Amino acid sequence: MTSSVPALNRIRVGSAPDSWGVWFPDDPRQVPWQRFLDEVSAAGYEWIELGPYGYLPTDPARLGEEARRRGLKVSAGTVFTGLHRGPAVWDETWAHVSDIAALTQAMGASHLVVIPSFWRDDKTGRVLEDRTLTPEQWRDLTSQTERLGHEVRERYGLRIVVHPHADTHIDTEENVTRFLDATDPDRVSLCLDTGHYAYCGGDSVKLIETYGERIGYLHLKQVDPAVLAQVVAEEVPFGPAVGRGVMCEPPTGVPALEPVLAAAQSLGVDLFAIVEQDMYPCPPDKPFPIAERTRGFLRSCGV
């Protein structure tokens, strides 16, 4: 009975280009941005992320008009960073961040999702650097992330939310908690991606209950345990793992999303929960039915 489902009134649900198989600004295997906007709206979502910078129009006036006429609003932009490399990469990082932050601000959003750089190439699997950071690299990662959080807020009024991600240095429970313990809560919050955290062996509910004040944003995603076991055993890079279907349609995978949403609601703050089902590359007709079913499932969970 729907009356028994608690109203999760602090959770705002959305989706992202990622759920339509979009990983790059321009790629012939991806659906056109107009189709993404049409379908994400038709699937019942009101909030979207910008996705890879340049996929959606970067002119705020045009993007604003395209979003408004479909009843859509933007929750966040996304940036990729390599801040463990220290102050030497700051200028290059800021040049990348500032354009995206400006568009994010212009679209009325208040969050910037920060994804750490990959230690191995997500397409080829080539190892780019050691998967374990040195103490000095950890200090650079935390201090430069704090600097980014400060600058982004001062200049654009946005809050950064750092996204633990497979094949990056912020991945497992050990590394996520080490990162949180070493950063200023006033400058650095977390984007908890339930799928990536499970992929790396973490427990999302435990993290929310332990570090609730640091959770600033959610990505809702599930992993297929059987595929994940193969991926881990064979040390498959993230990109090919996605090609194998390691990220799956809710509610068929883990973690169960109902306890995650309940734990998030109990924090007593407004949170975005953006659906992301990694499917790059995928047939153009595959995402929409999944998006519709996922929105229906989340409604059954109370959001």
Side-chain angles (χ1 to χ4, degrees), residues 53-191:
Y53 183 70
Y55 173 67
L56 293 175
T58 55
D59 171 34
R62 185 181 184 198
L63 180 55
E65 173 58 28
E66 296 283 357
R68 273 190 300 274
R69 65 187 185 86
R70 295 172 173 89
L72 297 171
K73 294 171 283 188
V74 174
S75 62
T78 301
V79 298
F80 288 85
T81 58
L83 295 172
H84 66 287
R85 300 185 184 114
V89 301
W90 176 261
D91 289 345
E92 177 188 347
T93 301
W94 186 252
H96 164 68
V97 168
S98 57
D99 287 342
I100 300 168
L103 179 60
T104 303
Q105 178 193 43
M107 295 307 298
S110 54
H111 295 87
L112 195 65
V113 178
V114 177
I115 299 179
S117 58
F118 287 35
W119 57 263
R120 64 179 168 187
D121 189 277
D122 59 331
K123 272 191 170 180
T124 67
R126 184 169 68 88
V127 174
L128 305 172
E129 57 188 316
D130 198 312
R131 69 182 301 169
T132 303
L133 295 179
T134 66
E136 183 181 11
Q137 287 175 317
W138 268 108
R139 285 193 296 272
D140 283 334
L141 173 62
T142 54
S143 65
Q144 294 298 300
T145 303
E146 287 178 335
R147 181 183 180 187
L148 186 70
H150 175 74
E151 294 294 333
V152 165
R153 184 187 293 180
E154 287 295 307
R155 301 194 195 193
Y156 297 102
L158 306 175
R159 187 164 190 85
I160 67 166
V161 285
V162 177
H163 183 324
H165 197 292
D167 285 3
T168 76
H169 297 108
I170 307 177
D171 51 0
T172 61
E173 179 184 9
E174 178 185 8
N175 286 335
V176 170
T177 56
R178 180 177 180 176
F179 176 77
L180 289 174
D181 289 342
T183 49
D184 181 351
D186 192 50
R187 295 188 175 191
V188 181
S189 296
L190 206 69
C191 169

Side-chain angles (χ1 to χ4, degrees), residues 161-241:
V161 285
V162 177
H163 183 324
H165 197 292
D167 285 3
T168 76
H169 297 108
I170 307 177
D171 51 0
T172 61
E173 179 184 9
E174 178 185 8
N175 286 335
V176 170
T177 56
R178 180 177 180 176
F179 176 77
L180 289 174
D181 289 342
T183 49
D184 181 351
D186 192 50
R187 295 188 175 191
V188 181
S189 296
L190 206 69
C191 169
L192 171 57
D193 184 302
T194 59
H196 279 279
Y197 202 49
Y199 186 107
C200 299
D203 180 331
S204 289
V205 172
K206 178 185 174 186
L207 188 68
I208 294 170
E209 291 175 346
T210 308
Y211 286 91
E213 74 284 356
R214 304 299 298 275
I215 307 298
Y217 201 89
L218 294 174
H219 278 172
L220 300 181
K221 187 180 295 168
Q222 288 189 325
V223 295
D224 181 317
V227 178
L228 180 61
Q230 295 174 344
V231 164
V232 171
E234 299 172 26
E235 298 186 357
V236 177
F238 180 66

Side-chain angles (χ1 to χ4, degrees), residues 1-30:
M1 289 173 53
T2 54
S3 60
S4 66
V5 177
L8 303 179
N9 57 2
R10 306 302 294 265
I11 311 293
R12 291 167 288 182
V13 171
S15 193
D18 182 58
S19 295
W20 268 256
V22 175
W23 276 12
F24 303 100
D26 185 35
D27 187 297
R29 292 188 285 185
Q30 297 174 171

